[in-house]
Amino acid sequence: MADRDPEIKFGEDRSEGISWNELMDRDSKPAPDFLKEEAYEYRGSDPIPAERYTSEEFAKAEREKMWPFVWQFAAREEDLPDPGDFVVYEMAGRSYLIVRQDDGSVRAMHNVCLHRGRKLRLEDGCADKFVCPFHAFTWNKDGSFDHAPCEWDFPHLKDKNMDLPDLEVGHWQGYIFIREERGGPTLEEYLAPLPEHFKGWNHDECVTVMRVAKEVPANWKVTMEAFMEAWHTIVTHPQLLPFTGDCNSAYRIWGDHVNVNLVPFGVMSPHVQEGQGEQWIVDEFIKYNGRSSDNYDPDGDPMAIQVPEGKTAREALGDKMREVYSEQAGYSLMHASDAEVLDALVYNVFPNFAPWGGYMPNIVYRWFPGKTPDTSVMEVRILARIKKGEPKPRGAELISLTLDQKWTEAGVLGGLGDVFEQDMENLPYVQEGLHAHKTGEVQLGNYQEIRIRQFQDTLMKYLEGTLGGGNS
């Protein structure tokens, strides 16, 4: 472990109010040990060059030296449940087909005709063969070459391997990953410690019930890093402060590829000067979740609770959520800690995958580079548990929003849409500011932005060749 920042007393409060670990010790159910284990490493205080977010040359280096060598979350199992189902996965100038085979396995291959280079498919679907719409060169769904018209004119291809180039495929908790270049850590090694942390949360028992993607006028790293710390809540999301311990959050990093931000809910932010008691915290939490509308019926809302005397809002919400989630799941979750049913346990896996942990309906983020360094696409999935004994349905279809549309236009995200829109109000001006930056330096906090520092450090390891290219 590197030297600790002399300005941070390791393991002690880093802001006003109680620390995350103190909150875990007060929770009504014991929190898993891994939620209390410190994993902070001082990574220096150097600035980040602004050109990493604006330069086409830097984006080109990412495309060539980073993206082909990392494990990427490409699809969920429920996106392609039946033989022949395929997903078109596009990332940083590459296009891939993720295809379910007859034996239930999944294969991944480049989505490019080996004749004249046309993409074979433009959107998800189901097919036994992939026929190029240009000249009808044809491949089987496992990527093997089938035939081409006028084969007499291509004698030079007779002894050439015309199978579609394939990729490594990995599976974890219902997520399907691909890696273009072989070599380096296995998927489980790459994801560590997620396999251990998520063991009881069983995302493989979940299905995608909402999926929305939106174009964003900012670099993919600018957009992603806006979701890697909680302390912007105080000014960007003030409606969350009554029930969010923004500066009570904990930040953890592991190795090169994984980190987490642990954000407590059901507690009032230390930045709120005039709180109105435990019931007020619960009422504000319910309001945020979109249950206070013109036709709101509290009798039909299981979360419209009264805080029992002697209990905190966090304890009361934890008790109710355990009850509600147990009923929804069809099996008991009464053992789960308050943190696991209530808090934002936001993990990030390098470079662009962020699944929420715990037992609640889980949010999953992905971020994609745009066609220029000044644009990106952000995708949000919501996973929900399938009730025990019920068949798993196909995943929800993607709703795509353009630059000019708002997250709230998707309709399905509820209060999350409003929160995302508040983030979007910052991002175009961050991107413009980075172009106009006089010093060309982005300054980061040592602790609350440690996840960004880890991400940037890892990115540079790939671009400099100490990770990737067989060095992972």
Side-chain angles (χ1 to χ4, degrees):
M1 180 176 288
D3 292 339
R4 293 170 182 166
D5 179 354
E7 298 301 319
I8 293 179
K9 294 182 179 180
F10 190 69
E12 297 182 9
D13 291 357
R14 298 180 175 90
S15 189
E16 302 173 31
I18 64 172
S19 69
W20 167 268
N21 278 11
E22 288 175 324
L23 187 61
M24 293 300 97
D25 289 338
R26 298 181 187 182
D27 270 3
S28 59
K29 300 278 185 178
D33 289 340
F34 60 77
L35 289 181
K36 298 184 286 186
E37 292 175 358
E38 292 278 2
Y40 167 77
E41 179 182 339
Y42 176 55
R43 295 210 164 205
S45 303
D46 292 341
I48 304 299
E51 67 178 1
R52 293 185 188 178
Y53 304 95
T54 60
S55 163
E56 171 53 35
E57 183 178 354
F58 193 86
K60 182 174 183 289
E62 291 176 349
R63 292 193 295 270
E64 294 177 354
K65 299 179 180 180
M66 185 271 285
W67 288 110
F69 300 98
V70 296
W71 283 105
Q72 302 175 43
F73 161 45
R76 285 274 304 173
E77 300 283 357
E78 66 268 16
D79 296 340
L80 54 160
D82 300 321
D85 285 349
F86 64 88
V87 169
V88 176
Y89 174 68
E90 302 202 334
M91 171 57 76
R94 298 286 201 202
S95 185
Y96 310 105
L97 293 168
I98 318 299
V99 191
R100 182 74 67 186
Q101 303 299 305
D102 290 335
D103 64 0
S105 65
V106 173
R107 292 181 62 86
M109 59 210 73
H110 286 255
N111 179 31
V112 177
C113 176
L114 299 182
H115 171 219
R116 297 270 290 275
R118 191 198 194 279
K119 289 182 179 179
L120 296 171
R121 290 292 185 271
L122 303 181
E123 56 187 24
D124 302 353
C126 185
D128 278 330
K129 297 183 184 295
F130 296 110
V131 181
C132 179
F134 198 177
H135 295 93
F137 272 63
T138 301
W139 285 266
N140 299 309
K141 63 173 173 281
D142 65 357
S144 60
F145 184 60
D146 187 74
H147 76 279
C150 300
E151 288 187 333
W152 59 266
D153 203 21
F154 295 90
H156 48 290
L157 298 183
K158 181 178 180 181
D159 297 323
K160 184 177 179 63
N161 181 3
M162 288 293 289
D163 294 348
L164 295 174
D166 65 351
L167 299 88
E168 281 189 281
V169 176
H171 301 260
W172 172 75
Q173 291 244 346
Y175 300 96
I176 299 171
F177 291 81
I178 59 96
R179 181 167 58 187
E180 181 173 336
E181 297 294 339
R182 286 171 166 77
T186 66
L187 178 59
E188 290 245 336
E189 291 169 341
Y190 191 95
L191 294 174
L194 261 69
E196 181 63 29
H197 290 199
F198 279 65
K199 188 180 296 182
W201 296 335
N202 300 326
H203 280 206
D204 52 340
E205 296 177 353
C206 299
V207 69
T208 302
V209 295
M210 301 178 198
R211 188 179 170 204
V212 184
K214 176 174 165 39
E215 293 182 84
V216 182
N219 185 268
W220 72 277
K221 298 182 294 294
V222 167
T223 307
M224 180 180 69
E225 289 171 2
F227 293 83
M228 292 180 75
E229 42 82 9
W231 73 291
H232 69 280
T233 301
I234 186 172
V235 63
T236 302
H237 309 301
Q239 79 277 16
L240 306 185
L241 295 178
F243 56 86
T244 303
D246 54 333
C247 61
N248 308 113
S249 299
Y251 299 85
R252 318 278 198 234
I253 60 174
W254 296 276
D256 292 312
H257 296 119
V258 180
N259 58 56
V260 73
N261 182 191
L262 307 170
V263 185
F265 290 151
V267 296
M268 187 174 64
S269 167
H271 292 120
V272 175
Q273 299 298 315
E274 297 181 359
Q276 300 172 38
E278 300 299 313
Q279 186 61 50
W280 176 73
I281 294 173
V282 169
D283 293 342
E284 290 296 306
F285 181 83
I286 293 170
K287 185 188 299 182
Y288 157 73
N289 279 284
R291 298 182 176 98
S292 290
S293 59
D294 293 339
N295 58 358
Y296 174 63
D297 177 16
D299 293 334
D301 183 355
M303 295 308 301
I305 59 175
Q306 295 296 310
V307 179
E309 188 173 347
K311 283 203 170 188
T312 65
R314 182 174 172 82
E315 289 171 331
L317 286 169
D319 287 344
K320 192 61 180 179
M321 285 191 166
R322 276 184 285 272
E323 177 188 325
V324 170
Y325 293 159
S326 294
E327 182 178 347
Q328 291 174 349
Y331 52 89
S332 177
L333 294 175
M334 300 307 290
H335 65 282
S337 63
D338 295 343
E340 293 172 287
V341 296
L342 187 58
D343 295 340
L345 314 178
V346 189
Y347 289 77
N348 270 68
V349 176
F350 185 89
N352 67 326
F353 168 49
W356 286 36
Y359 290 106
M360 67 180 74
N362 299 93
I363 302 171
V364 181
Y365 301 133
R366 281 194 299 185
W367 297 272
F368 302 86
K371 293 182 179 179
T372 74
D374 295 324
T375 61
S376 60
V377 173
M378 177 174 172
E379 180 191 273
V380 179
R381 289 176 183 250
I382 308 293
L383 304 185
R385 277 165 177 72
I386 300 304
K387 195 163 187 175
K388 190 172 184 179
E390 294 185 359
K392 183 179 289 187
R394 183 180 290 269
E397 292 189 7
L398 177 67
I399 299 171
S400 295
L401 302 174
T402 65
L403 282 173
D404 297 328
Q405 291 181 289
K406 295 182 180 295
W407 284 100
T408 49
E409 293 182 42
V412 298
L413 293 171
L416 276 176
D418 295 312
V419 173
F420 295 154
E421 272 309 304
Q422 290 173 320
D423 290 303
M424 297 301 112
E425 290 172 7
N426 292 322
L427 299 184
Y429 304 109
V430 173
Q431 192 67 25
E432 290 180 15
L434 290 167
H435 277 284
H437 213 304
K438 176 66 174 178
T439 68
E441 294 181 343
V442 175
Q443 303 292 343
L444 297 175
N446 292 340
Y447 178 67
Q448 293 183 102
E449 291 167 331
I450 190 64
R451 302 169 78 207
I452 300 174
R453 287 195 182 279
Q454 181 216 35
F455 167 81
Q456 290 285 341
D457 287 349
T458 300
L459 176 60
M460 293 311 299
K461 287 180 180 180
Y462 277 95
L463 301 196
E464 292 167 358
T466 56
L467 285 176
N471 295 312
S472 300

